[in-house]
Amino acid sequence: MSRESRVLVFVHDAMDGEMVEMQMRKAHVRCTVQRVTQKDQFLKAMRSAPPDLAIVDGGFPRLDVAGIMQYALQVSPGIPWVVLSTSQAEDALVRWMKAGAADVVTRKNYTRLGNVASELLSKRPAGQTSDAAHPAPGSPRGQRAPFSGPAPGVAPSPSGQPPRPAPGASVTSAQPARPAPGAPPSASGPVHAAPPPRVPPSPMQPPRPAPTGPAPTPGPARAGQAQPSGQAASSAGSPGSATPVQLDAFGEPIPQEESSLISSAQDVMPGAQPAAAAAPPPPHVQAATARPSAQPSSREHQLFQEIVEHAGDLVAVLDEQGKRLYSNPLHTEVLDSPERLQGTIAYVDIHPDDRQMVGDAFRGAFKGGKETRVEYRLMDKKGSVRVMESVAIVLPSSSAGEARAVVISRDVTDRVHQEQDREALLKALGPLTGERYFHNLVYVLAETLKVRYVLVSESLYQPYERVRSIAYWANGMLMPPFEYDLADTTCEAVYSTRGPVHYPDSIQELFPKETALVEMEARSYLGVPLIGSDSTIVGHLFIMDDKRMADPSRAQRMLTEVSGRTAMEMERLRHEAGVRGAESRLRFILESLADGVLVTDSLEIITYVSEQVGTDIGCGSVDLIGKPLTQFVELPDDAQGVALPADGEARVRLRCCDGTLRSAVLQAKPLKDGTGKAMGTVFLVRRVTD
């Protein structure tokens, strides 16, 4: 483009306007963006400085977007329109495209707005700008580019010949100008007056012939422009005449020349209702209105046909009995060619268990006249079952009274299978922990995905060189744990790439050093890493089979779905094992001491007793746990009424299980938690001889 294009953005939300400008910048569209949010601003912009591209918000409150586009395309023809849509309803898209929208961009696909704008602007002919379709400063408002055809009342002539008056028409200024008396003739031949600028005629105001001709017959009245009963309509320029006022989509009065444009367009717009008993417009008016009507109709028909035939969903038109009246080409991939489906009943391809449900929903749509959505199973041409989601939109009845519905169907098999797989895994693994979790995991994956081998392993060293199996399912049974090196195996890439690894076939040839693959008759492999909370790989999960995997995308989705939970369970087991190891080491140290050890909580209830203490008082250690400390330890007679120390040393007597007393020394130390709060006491018990 030789200059910056002008883009008019009509939105009711400032955030949407900023989004439009951002998408223009991302697509490197060389343009200036004018944002308007009010109806008067929009009307002023379209009438005074029409843009090169218009972008309008399809979700504008209380605004008929289709009507606005039809109006604007008559005022400023040739300007492409893009609608921003928040609605996924097909009927809204149809209305906008039929009104003349060049494209519809939904919120989910806002990122393509810049590319759409760039493409539409680049398609404008070289040198053409929005100014070409609008009057220059100072020219009469509403005047368009000069009309290149013959003037009204002048018959067309062969190419290169001057226009000739039509039979019976009065001679107007379009005739050759005669030289004034005495003026020398022109050297270049006779001089013809240039044809006047074209003002599109209106049936409401047909062009008037030259003053020398007969007076014109008033045009027909339109809806909203009724004339008083018994009174002839006056000419638009006659003194004292009541000029009919036409309103735009906002309820604002439209200037007279734009009103003429709209009136002319209404004759060729779909659904226009001509006034009753209206006299037909003159022949030249009919020609002016008939010629433009063919092009928009043909363009719209071709545009809709391309949209439907290239849609990613199945689109069909059915009658009330479910008979197919139309099927788009995508049906060939799923059911059969549109030609063979013509006239067949759609219910026969639905799974027998779902036919009644779909039929009831479809009949309900016709009865209520509302959009209906239903999910069901479809038997495709290969005999496979697909899960479909269909939306039925009932169309208004035709003149013959035949009810029809547009049915748009989408294959949602993958989504439904994903939900079913997630539910099955949650049901099988949800309440389980530890070894039971891992054993059930490999079993469920093997049964669901129909594979021979499933393994969960944990990494032993870093860098990752060796792994140990936690649960291994092979040929229908659990196998004992084992270890193996990662080098030159199918699993090595899982650790090096930290992502899913899939070998669809021929893994024996790809990994000749992994000799176990030959014995396993393995052909395909899919593995995912198990990432821990510290971002290290704690292990991996893989499936392997003796054939190509039927649905590797589903298998990868399931393995990824459980990888997080599996990694967490593996970390929990490692933590528990570490705690048990620490406790074992501490117990060994305590039991190795010459003195006994006794631990109480904050209420002086015994929570731990070493074997040495139990030996000293002649009771088993287990028998002492859970009992008060004062039941086995008492102060000497000369220290009655004094509490046992919480931090320090005291001479006490141990009450043995046989009733005897033995002297001992207690060394007390407070036991505190991580915040420093006392939670009990640790006593070292040293027996002394009396």
Side-chain angles (χ1 to χ4, degrees):
M1 292 174 287
S2 59
R3 64 168 184 83
E4 282 194 352
S5 301
R6 294 201 304 272
V7 178
L8 178 63
V9 179
F10 186 25
V11 292
H12 74 284
D13 189 340
M15 292 296 294
D16 287 335
E18 294 176 4
M19 181 278 303
V20 171
E21 294 192 27
M22 179 181 68
Q23 296 301 330
M24 295 298 175
R25 290 192 298 270
K26 285 185 176 181
H28 305 290
V29 179
R30 188 166 174 261
C31 66
T32 57
V33 177
Q34 179 185 2
R35 272 194 271 166
V36 295
T37 57
Q38 302 295 329
K39 63 180 181 180
D40 53 346
Q41 298 172 344
F42 168 74
L43 292 171
K44 182 178 180 181
M46 290 302 300
R47 291 168 181 165
S48 61
D52 299 291
L53 173 66
I55 300 176
V56 64
D57 186 355
F60 224 108
R62 300 179 299 279
L63 177 64
D64 180 9
V65 176
I68 287 298
M69 285 192 292
Q70 290 176 338
Y71 158 67
L73 286 172
Q74 299 303 319
V75 175
S76 303
I79 296 177
W81 280 69
V82 176
V83 180
L84 303 178
S85 171
T86 58
S87 172
Q88 303 299 322
E90 297 291 335
D91 55 343
L93 183 145
V94 168
R95 288 198 306 272
W96 294 331
M97 300 301 287
K98 190 171 183 179
D103 206 331
V104 177
V105 178
T106 63
R107 284 190 183 275
K108 292 183 178 180
N109 297 315
Y110 266 3
T111 53
R112 76 181 189 92
L113 177 60
N115 295 331
V116 170
S118 178
E119 181 180 359
L120 292 175
L121 291 171
S122 66
K123 288 182 178 180
R124 299 180 67 85
Q128 178 182 344
T129 68
S130 58
D131 301 330
H134 301 279
S139 63
R141 176 168 160 62
Q143 183 174 330
R144 299 294 186 262
F147 179 44
S148 60
V154 179
S157 62
S159 176
Q161 299 296 326
R164 296 179 290 103
S170 302
V171 178
T172 65
S173 59
Q175 294 177 336
R178 297 182 179 179
S186 171
S188 59
V191 179
H192 298 276
R198 180 192 183 193
V199 178
S202 167
M204 183 177 66
Q205 291 181 329
R208 290 175 294 178
T212 56
T217 303
R222 294 187 175 276
Q225 303 170 352
Q227 303 178 33
S229 175
Q231 180 180 352
S234 301
S235 221
S238 300
S241 63
T243 304
V245 177
Q246 195 168 6
L247 304 181
D248 61 19
F250 296 102
E252 299 286 345
I254 302 175
Q256 185 61 39
E257 63 272 14
E258 293 181 4
S259 175
S260 299
L261 283 173
I262 297 175
S263 299
S264 299
Q266 286 176 345
D267 284 342
V268 298
M269 287 171 57
Q273 298 296 331
H284 62 272
V285 176
Q286 295 181 10
T289 56
R291 280 195 299 270
S293 67
Q295 294 178 358
S297 176
S298 175
R299 183 184 67 84
E300 291 172 1
H301 176 76
Q302 182 179 3
L303 179 60
F304 283 113
Q305 185 176 0
E306 291 180 358
I307 291 175
V308 173
E309 291 187 354
H310 293 86
D313 299 331
L314 300 177
V315 181
V317 179
L318 310 181
D319 65 10
E320 196 165 358
Q321 287 71 42
K323 183 173 66 176
R324 294 185 178 98
L325 306 177
Y326 168 81
S327 303
N328 70 335
L330 188 62
H331 281 75
T332 304
E333 301 178 13
V334 181
L335 295 173
D336 208 336
S337 65
E339 295 76 13
R340 294 176 62 88
L341 292 176
Q342 183 77 15
T344 61
I345 301 299
Y347 298 127
V348 299
D349 299 308
I350 299 175
H351 193 282
D353 295 341
D354 296 341
R355 286 175 187 166
Q356 183 65 38
M357 177 266 295
V358 175
D360 292 343
F362 191 73
R363 286 184 288 271
F366 273 98
K367 184 177 180 180
K370 297 181 179 180
E371 176 181 309
T372 300
R373 189 179 301 269
V374 63
E375 188 175 291
Y376 59 94
R377 290 166 292 175
L378 180 75
M379 308 294 294
D380 66 14
K381 63 182 182 181
K382 296 180 180 179
S384 302
V385 177
R386 301 190 183 200
V387 183
M388 307 296 293
E389 183 183 61
S390 294
V391 179
I393 304 171
V394 179
L395 302 177
S397 300
S398 62
S399 58
E402 180 185 10
R404 297 170 299 164
V406 175
V407 180
I408 304 169
S409 305
R410 176 168 299 174
D411 191 336
V412 294
T413 307
D414 289 342
R415 188 201 72 192
V416 172
H417 283 172
Q418 184 176 354
E419 294 173 355
Q420 293 174 347
D421 293 341
R422 185 180 295 113
E423 183 179 353
L425 290 172
L426 181 63
K427 182 178 180 180
L429 306 175
L432 302 180
T433 58
E435 288 187 353
R436 292 185 59 198
Y437 169 83
F438 293 106
H439 292 170
N440 271 39
L441 173 64
V442 295
Y443 166 75
V444 171
L445 290 177
E447 289 297 309
T448 304
L449 299 175
K450 307 301 180 186
V451 293
R452 288 180 63 179
Y453 307 101
V454 183
L455 180 138
V456 183
S457 73
E458 62 174 337
S459 58
L460 298 180
Y461 314 109
Q462 289 190 20
Y464 309 109
E465 296 177 351
R466 192 169 178 82
V467 297
R468 176 174 54 230
S469 69
I470 297 179
Y472 179 43
W473 185 271
N475 298 315
M477 65 179 66
L478 281 170
M479 306 299 289
F482 61 96
E483 297 181 10
Y484 64 96
D485 294 328
L486 287 173
D488 300 319
T489 66
T490 49
C491 304
E492 183 179 17
V494 175
Y495 288 82
S496 61
T497 62
R498 296 177 60 88
V501 174
H502 177 220
Y503 299 109
D505 204 349
S506 306
I507 58 175
Q508 296 182 28
E509 291 77 8
L510 293 173
F511 300 94
K513 294 184 179 181
E514 192 173 358
T515 56
L517 298 176
V518 178
E519 182 181 351
M520 299 166 65
E521 300 178 348
R523 287 181 53 187
S524 56
Y525 172 94
L526 175 63
V528 297
L530 305 177
I531 309 296
S533 56
D534 58 354
S535 298
T536 61
I537 301 179
V538 297
H540 75 289
L541 168 65
F542 78 72
I543 60 175
M544 196 182 301
D545 206 5
D546 57 355
K547 58 183 179 301
R548 293 181 67 95
M549 293 179 188
D551 192 352
S553 59
R554 180 191 180 197
Q556 180 176 329
R557 185 177 63 241
M558 290 190 68
L559 265 60
T560 304
E561 183 82 25
V562 299
S563 62
R565 164 78 188 280
T566 305
M568 291 176 58
E569 190 64 24
M570 192 173 294
E571 285 189 316
R572 191 184 68 81
L573 287 183
R574 285 185 173 183
H575 177 72
E576 289 183 354
V579 171
R580 286 195 300 269
E583 290 179 348
S584 178
R585 290 189 295 272
L586 178 61
R587 187 182 301 274
F588 175 78
I589 294 172
L590 294 177
E591 297 297 338
S592 301
L593 295 175
D595 297 333
V597 180
L598 188 147
V599 183
T600 65
D601 61 13
S602 59
L603 300 177
E604 294 189 346
I605 302 297
I606 299 173
T607 58
Y608 172 77
V609 179
S610 68
E611 292 293 336
Q612 183 64 39
V613 175
T615 301
D616 290 342
I617 63 178
C619 297
S621 302
V622 178
D623 298 332
L624 300 177
I625 296 176
K627 296 179 180 179
L629 177 65
T630 55
Q631 183 175 335
F632 302 97
V633 178
E634 64 181 38
L635 294 171
D637 295 337
D638 56 353
Q640 293 297 320
V642 179
L644 291 171
D647 188 0
E649 186 176 291
R651 189 179 180 89
V652 299
R653 290 182 296 187
L654 300 178
R655 186 182 301 278
C656 300
C657 292
D658 59 1
T660 60
L661 297 176
R662 295 179 180 179
S663 298
V665 175
L666 292 184
Q667 182 71 38
K669 288 291 182 182
L671 181 64
K672 299 180 180 181
D673 60 14
T675 64
K677 181 180 178 181
M679 52 185 295
T681 308
V682 177
F683 296 97
L684 292 178
V685 183
R686 184 173 67 254
R687 182 180 173 184
V688 298
T689 305
D690 295 334

